[in-house]
């Protein structure tokens, strides 16, 4: 099992400090570091849940995190394709568009390094 990449401080700590603290310390500091699942597996589960529940605001961050945690692009696309039949075509279609943008941004970041 590999260590998860550092998570940037959340963007809402300035207005909701308690929520920011719980996010940093409990969610990413405890839940994501529990030994029962690897960060890679947690990422795949999280992305699948976000797609299924049409949580489009959170998808880009977690798709990028999934890539950083070792989930491949092909695995993300296969997850979306699989979910089209369980969560619905519209959520899969939306997730594909988000994945495309995440992959493009990831390519741009890698070229800049």
């Amino acid at each position: 099992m590999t260590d998860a990449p550092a998570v940037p401080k959340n963007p809402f700590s300035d207005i909701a400090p308690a929520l920011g603290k719980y996010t940093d310390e409990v969610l990413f500091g405890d839940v994501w570091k529990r030994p029962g699942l690897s960060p890679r597996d947690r990422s795949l589960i999280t992305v699948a849940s976000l797609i299924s529940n049409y949580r489009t605001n959170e998808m880009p961050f977690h798709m990028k995190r999934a890539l950083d945690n070792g989930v491949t692009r092909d695995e993300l696309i296969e997850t979306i394709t699989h979910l089209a039949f369980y969560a619905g075509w519209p959520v899969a279609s939306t997730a594909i568009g988000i994945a495309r943008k995440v992959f493009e941004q990831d390519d741009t970041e890698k070229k800049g390094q």
Side-chain angles (χ1 to χ4, degrees):
M1 205 179 324
T2 60
D3 289 333
V7 176
K9 292 292 180 188
N10 64 69
F12 44 79
S13 289
D14 61 329
I15 193 166
L19 183 58
K21 181 179 177 182
Y22 299 142
T23 301
D24 293 339
E25 294 177 10
V26 178
L27 177 59
F28 288 114
D30 180 34
V31 174
W32 271 84
K33 292 182 180 177
R34 292 177 51 82
L37 293 170
S38 69
R40 180 197 176 284
D41 292 344
R42 288 185 191 280
S43 281
L44 198 55
I45 292 165
T46 300
V47 168
S49 179
L50 293 172
I51 292 166
S52 296
N53 288 297
Y54 203 70
R55 301 296 191 239
T56 58
N57 287 342
E58 304 297 325
M59 275 188 233
F61 172 83
H62 281 286
M63 285 184 181
K64 173 67 170 118
R65 185 171 172 83
L67 293 172
D68 292 343
N69 282 334
V71 176
T72 68
R73 291 177 181 201
D74 288 343
E75 289 170 326
L76 284 174
I77 297 303
E78 189 63 29
T79 298
I80 295 166
T81 302
H82 187 76
L83 288 171
F85 294 92
Y86 289 92
W89 218 264
V91 297
S93 176
T94 298
I96 286 293
I98 292 170
R100 179 181 286 118
K101 289 178 185 173
V102 169
F103 297 166
E104 289 169 356
Q105 289 172 345
D106 190 51
D107 289 342
T108 300
E109 287 175 14
K110 286 179 181 174
K111 286 179 186 176
Q113 291 179 348

